[in-house]
PDB file of all heavy atoms in Angstrom:
ATOM      1  N   ASP A   1       0.833  -1.199   0.000  1.00 92.00           N
ATOM      2  CA  ASP A   1       0.000   0.000   0.000  1.00 92.00           C
ATOM      3  C   ASP A   1       0.868   1.248   0.000  1.00 92.00           C
ATOM      4  O   ASP A   1       1.776   1.403   0.828  1.00 92.00           O
ATOM      5  CB  ASP A   1      -0.912  -0.020   1.229  1.00 92.00           C
ATOM      6  CG  ASP A   1      -1.837   1.177   1.268  1.00 92.00           C
ATOM      7  OD1 ASP A   1      -2.749   1.250   0.428  1.00 92.00           O
ATOM      8  OD2 ASP A   1      -1.628   2.054   2.132  1.00 92.00           O
ATOM      9  N   LEU A   2       0.604   2.180  -0.916  1.00 92.00           N
ATOM     10  CA  LEU A   2       1.444   3.369  -1.046  1.00 92.00           C
ATOM     11  C   LEU A   2       1.331   4.287   0.158  1.00 92.00           C
ATOM     12  O   LEU A   2       2.319   4.879   0.587  1.00 92.00           O
ATOM     13  CB  LEU A   2       1.070   4.131  -2.323  1.00 92.00           C
ATOM     14  CG  LEU A   2       1.364   3.419  -3.648  1.00 92.00           C
ATOM     15  CD1 LEU A   2       0.949   4.289  -4.833  1.00 92.00           C
ATOM     16  CD2 LEU A   2       2.837   3.053  -3.763  1.00 92.00           C
ATOM     17  N   ALA A   3       0.125   4.423   0.713  1.00 89.00           N
ATOM     18  CA  ALA A   3      -0.043   5.283   1.887  1.00 89.00           C
ATOM     19  C   ALA A   3       0.743   4.747   3.077  1.00 89.00           C
ATOM     20  O   ALA A   3       1.346   5.516   3.837  1.00 89.00           O
ATOM     21  CB  ALA A   3      -1.529   5.405   2.231  1.00 89.00           C
ATOM     22  N   THR A   4       0.754   3.433   3.237  1.00 90.00           N
ATOM     23  CA  THR A   4       1.530   2.828   4.325  1.00 90.00           C
ATOM     24  C   THR A   4       3.025   2.944   4.053  1.00 90.00           C
ATOM     25  O   THR A   4       3.822   3.193   4.969  1.00 90.00           O
ATOM     26  CB  THR A   4       1.142   1.352   4.499  1.00 90.00           C
ATOM     27  OG1 THR A   4      -0.273   1.243   4.649  1.00 90.00           O
ATOM     28  CG2 THR A   4       1.827   0.745   5.718  1.00 90.00           C
ATOM     29  N   LEU A   5       3.413   2.783   2.773  1.00 91.00           N
ATOM     30  CA  LEU A   5       4.820   2.933   2.420  1.00 91.00           C
ATOM     31  C   LEU A   5       5.337   4.323   2.762  1.00 91.00           C
ATOM     32  O   LEU A   5       6.485   4.488   3.186  1.00 91.00           O
ATOM     33  CB  LEU A   5       5.014   2.684   0.921  1.00 91.00           C
ATOM     34  CG  LEU A   5       5.165   1.238   0.450  1.00 91.00           C
ATOM     35  CD1 LEU A   5       5.262   1.197  -1.068  1.00 91.00           C
ATOM     36  CD2 LEU A   5       6.386   0.590   1.079  1.00 91.00           C
ATOM     37  N   ALA A   6       4.489   5.326   2.596  1.00 87.00           N
ATOM     38  CA  ALA A   6       4.903   6.704   2.851  1.00 87.00           C
ATOM     39  C   ALA A   6       5.325   6.915   4.297  1.00 87.00           C
ATOM     40  O   ALA A   6       6.154   7.784   4.590  1.00 87.00           O
ATOM     41  CB  ALA A   6       3.772   7.665   2.488  1.00 87.00           C
ATOM     42  N   THR A   7       4.775   6.126   5.200  1.00 87.00           N
ATOM     43  CA  THR A   7       5.106   6.277   6.622  1.00 87.00           C
ATOM     44  C   THR A   7       6.180   5.297   7.085  1.00 87.00           C
ATOM     45  O   THR A   7       6.825   5.527   8.097  1.00 87.00           O
ATOM     46  CB  THR A   7       3.842   6.080   7.480  1.00 87.00           C
ATOM     47  OG1 THR A   7       3.309   4.771   7.243  1.00 87.00           O
ATOM     48  CG2 THR A   7       2.786   7.123   7.137  1.00 87.00           C
ATOM     49  N   THR A   8       6.366   4.213   6.320  1.00 86.00           N
ATOM     50  CA  THR A   8       7.326   3.190   6.768  1.00 86.00           C
ATOM     51  C   THR A   8       8.639   3.216   5.995  1.00 86.00           C
ATOM     52  O   THR A   8       9.672   2.828   6.519  1.00 86.00           O
ATOM     53  CB  THR A   8       6.706   1.782   6.654  1.00 86.00           C
ATOM     54  OG1 THR A   8       6.309   1.547   5.283  1.00 86.00           O
ATOM     55  CG2 THR A   8       5.489   1.652   7.561  1.00 86.00           C
ATOM     56  N   ALA A   9       8.598   3.660   4.722  1.00 77.00           N
ATOM     57  CA  ALA A   9       9.808   3.658   3.897  1.00 77.00           C
ATOM     58  C   ALA A   9      10.506   5.004   4.020  1.00 77.00           C
ATOM     59  O   ALA A   9      10.140   5.979   3.378  1.00 77.00           O
ATOM     60  CB  ALA A   9       9.450   3.373   2.439  1.00 77.00           C
ATOM     61  N   THR A  10      11.518   5.064   4.841  1.00 76.00           N
ATOM     62  CA  THR A  10      12.293   6.295   5.021  1.00 76.00           C
ATOM     63  C   THR A  10      13.775   5.983   4.880  1.00 76.00           C
ATOM     64  O   THR A  10      14.219   4.851   5.085  1.00 76.00           O
ATOM     65  CB  THR A  10      12.042   6.924   6.403  1.00 76.00           C
ATOM     66  OG1 THR A  10      12.532   6.042   7.416  1.00 76.00           O
ATOM     67  CG2 THR A  10      10.556   7.171   6.622  1.00 76.00           C
ATOM     68  N   SER A  11      14.543   7.001   4.566  1.00 62.00           N
ATOM     69  CA  SER A  11      15.978   6.821   4.371  1.00 62.00           C
ATOM     70  C   SER A  11      16.742   6.732   5.694  1.00 62.00           C
ATOM     71  O   SER A  11      17.960   6.611   5.689  1.00 62.00           O
ATOM     72  CB  SER A  11      16.529   7.988   3.541  1.00 62.00           C
ATOM     73  OG  SER A  11      16.222   9.217   4.158  1.00 62.00           O
ATOM     74  N   SER A  12      16.024   6.800   6.802  1.00 60.00           N
ATOM     75  CA  SER A  12      16.690   6.685   8.097  1.00 60.00           C
ATOM     76  C   SER A  12      16.222   5.454   8.859  1.00 60.00           C
ATOM     77  O   SER A  12      16.479   5.319  10.033  1.00 60.00           O
ATOM     78  CB  SER A  12      16.424   7.943   8.934  1.00 60.00           C
ATOM     79  OG  SER A  12      15.028   8.135   9.107  1.00 60.00           O
ATOM     80  N   GLY A  13      15.517   4.535   8.150  1.00 65.00           N
ATOM     81  CA  GLY A  13      15.001   3.343   8.806  1.00 65.00           C
ATOM     82  C   GLY A  13      16.041   2.240   8.896  1.00 65.00           C
ATOM     83  O   GLY A  13      17.187   2.372   8.454  1.00 65.00           O
ATOM     84  N   GLU A  14      15.605   1.102   9.443  1.00 67.00           N
ATOM     85  CA  GLU A  14      16.521  -0.014   9.651  1.00 67.00           C
ATOM     86  C   GLU A  14      16.909  -0.678   8.335  1.00 67.00           C
ATOM     87  O   GLU A  14      18.024  -1.160   8.172  1.00 67.00           O
ATOM     88  CB  GLU A  14      15.879  -1.045  10.584  1.00 67.00           C
ATOM     89  CG  GLU A  14      15.625  -0.514  11.993  1.00 67.00           C
ATOM     90  CD  GLU A  14      14.985  -1.568  12.873  1.00 67.00           C
ATOM     91  OE1 GLU A  14      14.710  -2.674  12.361  1.00 67.00           O
ATOM     92  OE2 GLU A  14      14.768  -1.294  14.067  1.00 67.00           O
ATOM     93  N   ASN A  15      15.983  -0.746   7.372  1.00 78.00           N
ATOM     94  CA  ASN A  15      16.232  -1.447   6.120  1.00 78.00           C
ATOM     95  C   ASN A  15      16.567  -0.485   4.991  1.00 78.00           C
ATOM     96  O   ASN A  15      16.166  -0.685   3.848  1.00 78.00           O
ATOM     97  CB  ASN A  15      14.991  -2.271   5.739  1.00 78.00           C
ATOM     98  CG  ASN A  15      14.678  -3.343   6.753  1.00 78.00           C
ATOM     99  OD1 ASN A  15      15.583  -3.983   7.274  1.00 78.00           O
ATOM    100  ND2 ASN A  15      13.400  -3.538   7.042  1.00 78.00           N
ATOM    101  N   VAL A  16      17.312   0.575   5.298  1.00 82.00           N
ATOM    102  CA  VAL A  16      17.555   1.621   4.313  1.00 82.00           C
ATOM    103  C   VAL A  16      18.305   1.081   3.097  1.00 82.00           C
ATOM    104  O   VAL A  16      18.005   1.464   1.956  1.00 82.00           O
ATOM    105  CB  VAL A  16      18.318   2.797   4.959  1.00 82.00           C
ATOM    106  CG1 VAL A  16      19.644   2.353   5.536  1.00 82.00           C
ATOM    107  CG2 VAL A  16      18.501   3.912   3.954  1.00 82.00           C
ATOM    108  N   GLN A  17      19.260   0.185   3.293  1.00 84.00           N
ATOM    109  CA  GLN A  17      20.023  -0.332   2.161  1.00 84.00           C
ATOM    110  C   GLN A  17      19.144  -1.152   1.231  1.00 84.00           C
ATOM    111  O   GLN A  17      19.236  -1.035   0.006  1.00 84.00           O
ATOM    112  CB  GLN A  17      21.206  -1.160   2.661  1.00 84.00           C
ATOM    113  CG  GLN A  17      22.286  -0.342   3.363  1.00 84.00           C
ATOM    114  CD  GLN A  17      23.477  -1.175   3.777  1.00 84.00           C
ATOM    115  OE1 GLN A  17      23.367  -2.397   3.908  1.00 84.00           O
ATOM    116  NE2 GLN A  17      24.614  -0.530   4.002  1.00 84.00           N
ATOM    117  N   MET A  18      18.266  -1.964   1.818  1.00 89.00           N
ATOM    118  CA  MET A  18      17.365  -2.763   0.998  1.00 89.00           C
ATOM    119  C   MET A  18      16.369  -1.869   0.253  1.00 89.00           C
ATOM    120  O   MET A  18      16.062  -2.091  -0.924  1.00 89.00           O
ATOM    121  CB  MET A  18      16.614  -3.780   1.871  1.00 89.00           C
ATOM    122  CG  MET A  18      15.716  -4.738   1.082  1.00 89.00           C
ATOM    123  SD  MET A  18      14.857  -5.934   2.124  1.00 89.00           S
ATOM    124  CE  MET A  18      16.252  -6.885   2.707  1.00 89.00           C
ATOM    125  N   LEU A  19      15.885  -0.835   0.934  1.00 89.00           N
ATOM    126  CA  LEU A  19      14.950   0.087   0.296  1.00 89.00           C
ATOM    127  C   LEU A  19      15.603   0.821  -0.870  1.00 89.00           C
ATOM    128  O   LEU A  19      15.003   0.974  -1.939  1.00 89.00           O
ATOM    129  CB  LEU A  19      14.429   1.096   1.324  1.00 89.00           C
ATOM    130  CG  LEU A  19      13.420   0.574   2.346  1.00 89.00           C
ATOM    131  CD1 LEU A  19      13.177   1.622   3.430  1.00 89.00           C
ATOM    132  CD2 LEU A  19      12.104   0.224   1.663  1.00 89.00           C
ATOM    133  N   MET A  20      16.820   1.286  -0.675  1.00 89.00           N
ATOM    134  CA  MET A  20      17.529   1.975  -1.743  1.00 89.00           C
ATOM    135  C   MET A  20      17.816   1.046  -2.913  1.00 89.00           C
ATOM    136  O   MET A  20      17.758   1.446  -4.086  1.00 89.00           O
ATOM    137  CB  MET A  20      18.840   2.570  -1.215  1.00 89.00           C
ATOM    138  CG  MET A  20      18.644   3.781  -0.320  1.00 89.00           C
ATOM    139  SD  MET A  20      17.824   5.139  -1.200  1.00 89.00           S
ATOM    140  CE  MET A  20      17.749   6.384   0.086  1.00 89.00           C
ATOM    141  N   PHE A  21      18.114  -0.215  -2.616  1.00 90.00           N
ATOM    142  CA  PHE A  21      18.353  -1.207  -3.663  1.00 90.00           C
ATOM    143  C   PHE A  21      17.085  -1.408  -4.492  1.00 90.00           C
ATOM    144  O   PHE A  21      17.128  -1.434  -5.729  1.00 90.00           O
ATOM    145  CB  PHE A  21      18.803  -2.524  -3.031  1.00 90.00           C
ATOM    146  CG  PHE A  21      19.273  -3.545  -4.023  1.00 90.00           C
ATOM    147  CD1 PHE A  21      20.406  -3.331  -4.788  1.00 90.00           C
ATOM    148  CD2 PHE A  21      18.569  -4.731  -4.185  1.00 90.00           C
ATOM    149  CE1 PHE A  21      20.835  -4.281  -5.704  1.00 90.00           C
ATOM    150  CE2 PHE A  21      18.993  -5.686  -5.100  1.00 90.00           C
ATOM    151  CZ  PHE A  21      20.138  -5.468  -5.862  1.00 90.00           C
ATOM    152  N   GLY A  22      15.955  -1.532  -3.805  1.00 91.00           N
ATOM    153  CA  GLY A  22      14.680  -1.665  -4.513  1.00 91.00           C
ATOM    154  C   GLY A  22      14.331  -0.412  -5.290  1.00 91.00           C
ATOM    155  O   GLY A  22      13.775  -0.477  -6.395  1.00 91.00           O
ATOM    156  N   LEU A  23      14.656   0.756  -4.719  1.00 92.00           N
ATOM    157  CA  LEU A  23      14.362   2.023  -5.377  1.00 92.00           C
ATOM    158  C   LEU A  23      15.088   2.134  -6.715  1.00 92.00           C
ATOM    159  O   LEU A  23      14.529   2.639  -7.700  1.00 92.00           O
ATOM    160  CB  LEU A  23      14.765   3.188  -4.469  1.00 92.00           C
ATOM    161  CG  LEU A  23      14.580   4.598  -5.040  1.00 92.00           C
ATOM    162  CD1 LEU A  23      13.115   4.885  -5.300  1.00 92.00           C
ATOM    163  CD2 LEU A  23      15.169   5.640  -4.090  1.00 92.00           C
ATOM    164  N   VAL A  24      16.316   1.645  -6.774  1.00 92.00           N
ATOM    165  CA  VAL A  24      17.073   1.702  -8.031  1.00 92.00           C
ATOM    166  C   VAL A  24      16.337   0.951  -9.133  1.00 92.00           C
ATOM    167  O   VAL A  24      16.226   1.432 -10.271  1.00 92.00           O
ATOM    168  CB  VAL A  24      18.486   1.121  -7.821  1.00 92.00           C
ATOM    169  CG1 VAL A  24      19.196   0.945  -9.164  1.00 92.00           C
ATOM    170  CG2 VAL A  24      19.300   2.024  -6.913  1.00 92.00           C
ATOM    171  N   PHE A  25      15.815  -0.215  -8.811  1.00 93.00           N
ATOM    172  CA  PHE A  25      15.093  -0.996  -9.818  1.00 93.00           C
ATOM    173  C   PHE A  25      13.788  -0.308 -10.220  1.00 93.00           C
ATOM    174  O   PHE A  25      13.383  -0.365 -11.387  1.00 93.00           O
ATOM    175  CB  PHE A  25      14.822  -2.409  -9.297  1.00 93.00           C
ATOM    176  CG  PHE A  25      16.027  -3.300  -9.334  1.00 93.00           C
ATOM    177  CD1 PHE A  25      16.833  -3.441  -8.224  1.00 93.00           C
ATOM    178  CD2 PHE A  25      16.363  -3.986 -10.493  1.00 93.00           C
ATOM    179  CE1 PHE A  25      17.953  -4.255  -8.259  1.00 93.00           C
ATOM    180  CE2 PHE A  25      17.476  -4.806 -10.542  1.00 93.00           C
ATOM    181  CZ  PHE A  25      18.286  -4.937  -9.421  1.00 93.00           C
ATOM    182  N   LEU A  26      13.118   0.329  -9.274  1.00 93.00           N
ATOM    183  CA  LEU A  26      11.916   1.090  -9.615  1.00 93.00           C
ATOM    184  C   LEU A  26      12.239   2.218 -10.585  1.00 93.00           C
ATOM    185  O   LEU A  26      11.510   2.454 -11.560  1.00 93.00           O
ATOM    186  CB  LEU A  26      11.276   1.672  -8.350  1.00 93.00           C
ATOM    187  CG  LEU A  26      10.494   0.744  -7.428  1.00 93.00           C
ATOM    188  CD1 LEU A  26       9.853   1.561  -6.318  1.00 93.00           C
ATOM    189  CD2 LEU A  26       9.424  -0.012  -8.186  1.00 93.00           C
ATOM    190  N   ILE A  27      13.324   2.942 -10.315  1.00 93.00           N
ATOM    191  CA  ILE A  27      13.712   4.054 -11.171  1.00 93.00           C
ATOM    192  C   ILE A  27      14.071   3.560 -12.569  1.00 93.00           C
ATOM    193  O   ILE A  27      13.751   4.207 -13.578  1.00 93.00           O
ATOM    194  CB  ILE A  27      14.898   4.828 -10.558  1.00 93.00           C
ATOM    195  CG1 ILE A  27      14.491   5.483  -9.228  1.00 93.00           C
ATOM    196  CG2 ILE A  27      15.410   5.873 -11.533  1.00 93.00           C
ATOM    197  CD1 ILE A  27      13.459   6.577  -9.370  1.00 93.00           C
ATOM    198  N   VAL A  28      14.723   2.396 -12.650  1.00 92.00           N
ATOM    199  CA  VAL A  28      15.054   1.826 -13.966  1.00 92.00           C
ATOM    200  C   VAL A  28      13.780   1.544 -14.764  1.00 92.00           C
ATOM    201  O   VAL A  28      13.686   1.867 -15.953  1.00 92.00           O
ATOM    202  CB  VAL A  28      15.896   0.546 -13.805  1.00 92.00           C
ATOM    203  CG1 VAL A  28      16.010  -0.197 -15.139  1.00 92.00           C
ATOM    204  CG2 VAL A  28      17.282   0.879 -13.268  1.00 92.00           C
ATOM    205  N   GLY A  29      12.793   0.928 -14.108  1.00 91.00           N
ATOM    206  CA  GLY A  29      11.528   0.656 -14.782  1.00 91.00           C
ATOM    207  C   GLY A  29      10.832   1.924 -15.225  1.00 91.00           C
ATOM    208  O   GLY A  29      10.311   2.018 -16.342  1.00 91.00           O
ATOM    209  N   LEU A  30      10.813   2.926 -14.357  1.00 92.00           N
ATOM    210  CA  LEU A  30      10.209   4.211 -14.699  1.00 92.00           C
ATOM    211  C   LEU A  30      10.940   4.870 -15.874  1.00 92.00           C
ATOM    212  O   LEU A  30      10.303   5.393 -16.802  1.00 92.00           O
ATOM    213  CB  LEU A  30      10.246   5.151 -13.490  1.00 92.00           C
ATOM    214  CG  LEU A  30       9.172   4.972 -12.419  1.00 92.00           C
ATOM    215  CD1 LEU A  30       9.514   5.813 -11.201  1.00 92.00           C
ATOM    216  CD2 LEU A  30       7.805   5.373 -12.958  1.00 92.00           C
ATOM    217  N   ALA A  31      12.264   4.853 -15.818  1.00 93.00           N
ATOM    218  CA  ALA A  31      13.053   5.504 -16.863  1.00 93.00           C
ATOM    219  C   ALA A  31      12.802   4.862 -18.220  1.00 93.00           C
ATOM    220  O   ALA A  31      12.749   5.555 -19.246  1.00 93.00           O
ATOM    221  CB  ALA A  31      14.542   5.440 -16.512  1.00 93.00           C
ATOM    222  N   PHE A  32      12.649   3.544 -18.244  1.00 92.00           N
ATOM    223  CA  PHE A  32      12.366   2.885 -19.518  1.00 92.00           C
ATOM    224  C   PHE A  32      11.008   3.315 -20.061  1.00 92.00           C
ATOM    225  O   PHE A  32      10.878   3.606 -21.253  1.00 92.00           O
ATOM    226  CB  PHE A  32      12.391   1.360 -19.349  1.00 92.00           C
ATOM    227  CG  PHE A  32      12.022   0.634 -20.622  1.00 92.00           C
ATOM    228  CD1 PHE A  32      12.990   0.327 -21.562  1.00 92.00           C
ATOM    229  CD2 PHE A  32      10.708   0.270 -20.884  1.00 92.00           C
ATOM    230  CE1 PHE A  32      12.651  -0.327 -22.740  1.00 92.00           C
ATOM    231  CE2 PHE A  32      10.359  -0.377 -22.053  1.00 92.00           C
ATOM    232  CZ  PHE A  32      11.342  -0.678 -22.986  1.00 92.00           C
ATOM    233  N   LYS A  33      10.006   3.348 -19.224  1.00 89.00           N
ATOM    234  CA  LYS A  33       8.671   3.712 -19.690  1.00 89.00           C
ATOM    235  C   LYS A  33       8.634   5.152 -20.200  1.00 89.00           C
ATOM    236  O   LYS A  33       7.883   5.457 -21.121  1.00 89.00           O
ATOM    237  CB  LYS A  33       7.645   3.507 -18.576  1.00 89.00           C
ATOM    238  CG  LYS A  33       7.513   2.066 -18.100  1.00 89.00           C
ATOM    239  CD  LYS A  33       7.227   1.120 -19.262  1.00 89.00           C
ATOM    240  CE  LYS A  33       7.189  -0.329 -18.805  1.00 89.00           C
ATOM    241  NZ  LYS A  33       7.005  -1.263 -19.950  1.00 89.00           N
ATOM    242  N   PHE A  34       9.438   6.009 -19.612  1.00 91.00           N
ATOM    243  CA  PHE A  34       9.533   7.386 -20.094  1.00 91.00           C
ATOM    244  C   PHE A  34      10.422   7.495 -21.325  1.00 91.00           C
ATOM    245  O   PHE A  34      10.264   8.420 -22.133  1.00 91.00           O
ATOM    246  CB  PHE A  34      10.105   8.296 -19.001  1.00 91.00           C
ATOM    247  CG  PHE A  34       9.085   8.849 -18.058  1.00 91.00           C
ATOM    248  CD1 PHE A  34       8.926   8.314 -16.789  1.00 91.00           C
ATOM    249  CD2 PHE A  34       8.281   9.909 -18.431  1.00 91.00           C
ATOM    250  CE1 PHE A  34       7.987   8.825 -15.909  1.00 91.00           C
ATOM    251  CE2 PHE A  34       7.340  10.440 -17.558  1.00 91.00           C
ATOM    252  CZ  PHE A  34       7.195   9.901 -16.296  1.00 91.00           C
TER     253      PHE A  34
END
C-alpha cells in the first residue's frame, strides 16, 4: 500500500540499504517507460 509505504519507507530506517536497492530498480523501470 502506497499510503503505508509513505510512513514506513524512510531513508533513516533499519532497512535503508534494501529500500535503496529496490528504489534503483523502480527508477530503472520508470526511466524505460519514459
